[in-house]
């Protein structure tokens, strides 16, 4: 028996729980000065209410909040119990069903599929007025429960004692909460994918790669929220057009001149409600891909279409098994195009951490390719970095081609690792033996465990790295989540190995308290950095513009 989407419990807070923003992390203390003035929720051109990711002062005209409930003196003791789940191996093949969708209506406010979706999508007023960064994400013991299990009711607490024996002070009560812990049991089944020919060995020789001189650091002049890209009330109306109500990430690359691919993480449709990611009963797809051609980014990130498997429904482009402790989801991490072929890096997530915010465990980091412009994808059998003993250095990867090589920046699973670097000739991207790791100022052939020795290219830890080469300044740009600084930060360098400048904060988490996942738009310049930003509480994607001095 395989796990089905409908079997996932409603409490399952998914995806990008890994990518989930700082809602899962200790937040910087917010000060009154960091709060923006209160403002009503934004409206799109169709009069639909959108989401506002800014930290704002409370509505002065709102009624006072109700008094807090009386304190709960119950001590919860959580005890896991095994939930054995058969998992077919190798499992079902990737579903590459695709349709050629009809053009969107000329009236952008007209619903293209009224027989499928009515305007009953989530509203921002469903969000709590003030969100506790440590609790609102749903990152509780239940958040990563087995998608195929139903949690039993907790054992009732003992009745209160008439005599506390403490001078009338009520003693805490004890409640045992049983939590299912998925134990995957592999069983024969499914259909093996077609075999892929193993690339011929192409071990590269040792080569020097010294650090270059540092460049002049940049400084932030202004930061602007350009538009809400996805979800109800967005300029793209993705809920009505493509059943994309809640999603995150939005990593981008140019598939061909004038055409941008935009790839999202775990995506939820009809029935999804904020706060945070959804569950298996809410039209869960582990990822989706859209396309954009609007050059004037000051107007916002406009989505022309999605790869669809049915009318008004974005398809999942990289399959996942959706079984906790086996493969709960598959998250894309970067994309690029070479010689007419599209490439995606991705991570296969085994499970999210229940106890350590900002941590997850992967099975592997790998590459997939597409030869039809990004509509359908194939995971490479040979270009993958298995997470042996949880020590893999290239699990969350960002790749960018330049001058005959594709450079791969990688971190371990979670947000607490350092950034390693590798490279490969652009005609050998799917041949792992042709890669070289940057170790102590040299390109070292990818032999055995050498990846564990990859030298960190910058100091400190990083989450979700986005890297591109900017031709206008002849410099590399690197954007990532810096937990120490509570910000999305930018570094620049003339060579991929550095020297990289000190991090320049572009987005302050005191102002955008649930932000994560900054991905640079390929049409950015050395002065204007456009990037997507995800917000955990509204669980949708926004385009930001950072103007540099």
């Amino acid at each position: 028996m395989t796990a089905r989407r409908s079997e996932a419990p409603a409490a399952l807070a998914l995806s990008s729980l890994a990518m989930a923003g700082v809602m899962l992390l200790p937040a910087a203390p917010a000060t009154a000065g960091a709060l923006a003035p209160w403002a009503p929720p934004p409206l799109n051109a169709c009069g639909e209410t959108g989401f506002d990711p800014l930290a704002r002062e409370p509505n002065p005209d709102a009624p006072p909040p109700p008094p807090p409930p009386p304190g709960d003196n119950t001590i919860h003791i959580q005890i896991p119990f095994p939930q054995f789940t058969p998992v077919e191996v190798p499992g079902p093949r990737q579903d590459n069903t695709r349709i050629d969708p009809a053009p969107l209506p000329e009236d952008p406010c007209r619903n293209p599929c009224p027989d499928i979706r009515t305007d009953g999508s989530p509203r921002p007023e469903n969000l709590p007025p003030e969100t506790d960064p440590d609790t609102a994400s749903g990152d509780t013991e239940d958040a990563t429960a087995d998608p195929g299990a139903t949690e039993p009711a907790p054992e009732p607490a003992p009745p209160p004692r008439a005599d506390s024996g403490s001078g009338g002070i009520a003693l805490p009560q004890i409640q045992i909460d049983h939590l299912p812990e998925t134990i995957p049991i592999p069983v024969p089944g499914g259909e093996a994918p077609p075999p892929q020919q193993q690339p011929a060995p192409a071990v590269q020789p040792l080569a020097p790669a010294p650090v270059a001189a540092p460049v002049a650091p940049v400084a932030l002049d202004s930061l602007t929220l350009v538009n809400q890209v996805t979800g109800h009330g967005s300029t793209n109306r993705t809920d009505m057009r493509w059943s994309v109500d809640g999603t995150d990430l939005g990593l981008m690359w140019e598939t061909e001149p004038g055409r941008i691919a935009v790839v999202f993480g775990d995506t939820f449709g009809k029935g999804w409600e904020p706060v945070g990611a959804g569950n298996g009963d809410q039209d869960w797809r582990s990822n989706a891909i859209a396309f954009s051609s609007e050059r004037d980014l000051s107007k916002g990130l406009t989505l022309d279409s999605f790869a669809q498997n049915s009318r008004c429904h974005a398809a999942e482009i990289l399959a996942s098994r959706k079984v906790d402790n086996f493969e709960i989801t598959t998250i894309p991490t970067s994309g690029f195009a070479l010689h007419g072929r599209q490439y995606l890096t991705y991570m296969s997530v085994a499970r999210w951490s229940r106890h350590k915010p900002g941590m997850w465990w992967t099975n592997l980091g790998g590459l997939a390719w597409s030869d039809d412009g990004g509509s359908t994808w194939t995971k490479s059998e040979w270009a993958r970095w298995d997470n042996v003993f949880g020590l893999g250095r290239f699990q969350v990867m960002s790749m960018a081609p330049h001058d005959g090589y594709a450079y791969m920046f990688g971190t371990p699973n979670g947000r607490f690792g350092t950034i390693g670097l590798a490279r490969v000739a652009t005609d050998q991207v799917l041949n792992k033996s042709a890669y070289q790791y940057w170790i102590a100022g040299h390109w070292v052939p990818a032999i055995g465990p050498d990846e564990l020795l990859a030298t960190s290219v910058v100091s400190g830890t990083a989450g979700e790295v986005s890297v591109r080469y900017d031709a206008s300044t002849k410099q590399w740009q690197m954007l990532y989540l810096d937990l120490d600084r509570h910000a999305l930060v930018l570094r620049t360098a003339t060579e991929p190995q550095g020297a990289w400048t000190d991090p320049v904060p572009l987005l302050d988490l005191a102002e955008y308290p649930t932000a994560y996942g900054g991905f640079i738009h390929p049409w950015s310049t050395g002065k204007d950095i456009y990037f997507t930003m995800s917000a955990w509480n509204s669980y949708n994607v926004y385009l930001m513009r950072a103007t540099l001095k």
Side-chain angles (χ1 to χ4, degrees):
M1 181 179 78
T2 59
R4 300 189 300 273
R5 290 177 183 169
S6 60
E7 294 173 332
L12 182 63
L14 287 164
S15 160
S16 301
L17 199 52
M19 314 308 274
V22 190
M23 297 298 295
L24 306 183
L25 302 162
T31 63
L35 296 177
W38 180 85
L43 298 176
N44 66 7
C46 302
E48 297 170 330
T49 306
F51 297 102
D52 184 355
L54 267 170
R56 293 191 179 274
E57 297 174 350
N59 182 356
D61 299 324
D72 182 5
N73 67 342
T74 303
I75 298 175
H76 293 264
I77 300 177
Q78 297 172 332
I79 300 178
F81 71 92
Q83 183 77 40
F84 297 100
T85 304
V87 182
E88 290 185 349
V89 176
R93 286 192 180 185
Q94 167 76 43
D95 183 0
N96 284 331
T97 301
R98 298 291 184 270
I99 66 166
D100 187 11
L104 292 171
E106 291 186 11
D107 179 0
C109 299
R110 180 184 165 195
N111 188 348
C113 295
D115 56 320
I116 298 175
R117 288 296 302 268
T118 57
D119 189 12
S121 302
R123 296 296 199 275
E125 51 263 32
N126 293 332
L127 290 172
E130 294 184 5
T131 306
D132 181 353
D134 296 323
T135 60
S137 70
D139 185 30
T140 66
E141 291 298 324
D142 297 334
T144 53
D146 175 10
T150 301
E151 181 179 348
E155 295 183 5
R161 297 174 54 181
D163 180 9
S164 67
S166 301
I169 300 176
L171 293 176
Q173 300 181 39
I174 305 297
Q175 178 170 307
I176 304 299
D177 298 331
H178 287 99
L179 299 176
E181 182 70 28
T182 302
I183 307 297
I185 306 297
V187 298
E191 185 179 3
Q196 300 175 13
Q197 183 177 359
Q198 182 175 4
V203 177
Q204 303 300 304
L206 185 75
V211 171
V215 297
V218 297
L220 178 66
D221 184 35
S222 63
L223 178 73
T224 308
L225 194 162
V226 184
N227 75 314
Q228 179 186 326
V229 178
T230 62
H232 186 79
S234 66
T235 54
N236 295 298
R237 304 186 73 231
T238 62
D239 52 341
M240 294 295 101
R241 293 173 168 178
W242 300 292
S243 296
V244 176
D245 294 65
T247 190
D248 69 347
L249 305 188
L251 56 96
M252 298 165 285
W253 74 96
E254 191 172 47
T255 63
E256 60 186 55
R259 185 174 187 253
I260 298 295
V262 188
V263 174
F264 301 98
D266 280 329
T267 298
F268 302 90
K270 187 175 182 179
W272 172 84
E273 295 281 348
V275 175
N279 63 65
D281 291 323
Q282 295 170 351
D283 191 14
W284 174 23
R285 289 143 286 171
S286 283
N287 38 70
I289 188 170
F291 301 97
S292 173
S293 59
E294 175 56 65
R295 280 261 180 199
D296 188 355
L297 297 178
S298 66
K299 298 178 180 178
L301 179 55
T302 302
L303 304 181
D304 304 326
S305 63
F306 273 76
Q308 300 178 48
N309 58 354
S310 61
R311 289 178 54 239
C312 294
H313 191 264
E316 179 179 81
I317 59 171
L318 291 179
S320 71
R321 301 304 303 274
K322 300 180 173 63
V323 177
D324 199 18
N325 292 324
F326 185 80
E327 183 184 62
I328 191 64
T329 193
T330 300
I331 305 294
T333 57
S334 74
F336 59 102
L338 281 172
H339 314 308
R341 170 172 279 187
Q342 313 301 314
Y343 294 91
L344 264 180
T345 62
Y346 69 92
M347 61 177 176
S348 167
V349 180
R351 65 187 184 278
W352 310 119
S353 174
R354 290 182 175 180
H355 306 288
K356 187 173 184 179
M359 186 62 194
W360 61 90
W361 286 268
T362 54
N363 299 305
L364 58 93
L367 280 115
W369 79 87
S370 171
D371 288 331
D372 57 11
S375 179
T376 61
W377 295 82
T378 302
K379 296 176 184 175
S380 172
E381 181 181 347
W382 305 106
R384 48 184 284 174
W385 283 257
D386 294 310
N387 195 18
V388 180
F389 302 121
L391 301 176
R393 293 289 307 280
F394 295 89
Q395 297 298 295
V396 188
M397 302 182 294
S398 178
M399 292 189 71
H402 175 63
D403 199 19
Y405 288 93
Y407 293 91
M408 181 171 71
F409 299 78
T411 65
N413 45 210
R415 293 196 173 104
F416 305 100
T418 58
I419 302 174
L421 176 64
R423 74 172 186 177
V424 65
T426 54
D427 60 349
Q428 296 278 349
V429 170
L430 298 179
N431 187 350
K432 186 178 178 181
S433 70
Y435 280 71
Q436 298 168 299
Y437 302 117
W438 188 66
I439 301 175
H442 291 81
W443 294 114
V444 179
I447 299 175
D450 279 346
E451 73 166 278
L452 303 180
L453 305 177
T455 302
S456 300
V457 295
V458 298
S459 61
T461 60
E464 294 96 54
V465 179
S466 175
V467 181
R468 68 180 287 268
Y469 180 78
D470 178 52
S472 68
T473 58
K474 295 182 172 55
Q475 293 180 9
W476 289 83
Q477 298 169 339
M478 176 192 293
L479 182 66
Y480 63 90
L481 178 63
D482 188 325
L483 298 182
D484 294 332
R485 291 173 173 81
H486 292 93
L488 291 175
V489 302
L490 175 72
R491 292 180 187 251
T492 55
T494 56
E495 296 291 341
Q497 66 269 24
W500 291 88
T501 61
D502 290 338
V504 176
L506 297 187
L507 185 146
D508 190 338
L509 298 185
E511 297 178 353
Y512 294 87
T514 70
Y516 65 102
F519 295 93
I520 306 174
H521 195 292
W523 292 342
S524 297
T525 66
K527 181 179 179 181
D528 286 315
I529 307 292
Y530 287 90
F531 63 95
T532 53
M533 177 270 291
S534 302
W536 172 250
N537 61 341
S538 62
Y539 197 66
N540 269 292
V541 178
Y542 305 81
L543 182 68
M544 309 297 296
R545 177 184 183 180
T547 302
L548 305 178
K549 295 180 180 178

